[in-house]
Amino acid sequence: MSKRHWPFVLGGLLVALLLAGVVSNYASSHPDGLDSSLLKGCTVNADDEITGGTCPAQQAKDHELADSPLADYGVRGIGNDFLSTGLSGVLGVLLTFALGGGLFWLARRRGPATPAAPDTITASADPADDAATPSTGTR
């Protein structure tokens, strides 16, 4: 990557870190469309716990990674919700940036191909010899 691209990449990373670390705390806490459609037919309390009725959400189970360090948009062990959510977002951005950067680093072009040595060139010096000839071998 040329030196003139680094300010753009670092600027994008800074914006992503700012959005994930600060702005993510102001996202809506109301259920999205999938969650609200799964709750149709049930009554819920203020903590979004099902208190009655029947709905598909009653068959929901915890995810296998529900007890992982970054589950539920927070960092386990941090009591401050604002800090926990912001830190979770920042860690997610850094992990994604590192993984993506590593993949791009592996896939990048390694530079121009080196030309073949003069003694291995197979093309003839006569341009007429390089022209396509009919399959009969006559010109």
Side-chain angles (χ1 to χ4, degrees):
M1 181 182 319
S2 68
K3 290 186 179 189
R4 65 186 182 115
H5 294 290
W6 280 109
F8 178 74
V9 171
L10 293 178
L13 178 62
L14 183 65
V15 168
L17 288 170
L18 181 68
L19 289 172
V22 178
V23 178
S24 63
N25 282 293
Y26 298 104
S28 175
S29 61
H30 297 292
D32 62 9
L34 177 61
D35 287 339
S36 63
S37 66
L38 290 176
L39 290 172
K40 285 191 180 190
C42 286
T43 55
V44 295
N45 62 13
D47 295 327
D48 289 329
E49 296 170 347
I50 298 172
T51 57
T54 57
C55 61
Q58 291 172 320
Q59 284 79 34
K61 299 175 184 168
D62 277 342
H63 190 272
E64 298 163 351
L65 300 175
D67 59 344
S68 68
L70 296 177
D72 283 336
Y73 304 106
V75 178
R76 187 174 31 164
I78 296 181
N80 183 337
D81 287 341
F82 190 88
L83 180 63
S84 177
T85 301
L87 187 58
S88 173
V90 166
L91 289 173
V93 166
L94 290 176
L95 183 66
T96 302
F97 185 79
L99 184 65
L103 290 174
F104 276 109
W105 180 79
L106 288 173
R108 77 180 193 275
R109 291 180 85 181
R110 301 288 180 181
T114 57
D119 61 332
T120 61
I121 296 177
T122 59
S124 66
D126 185 9
D129 290 342
D130 291 336
T133 58
S135 61
T136 61
T138 61
R139 290 191 177 192

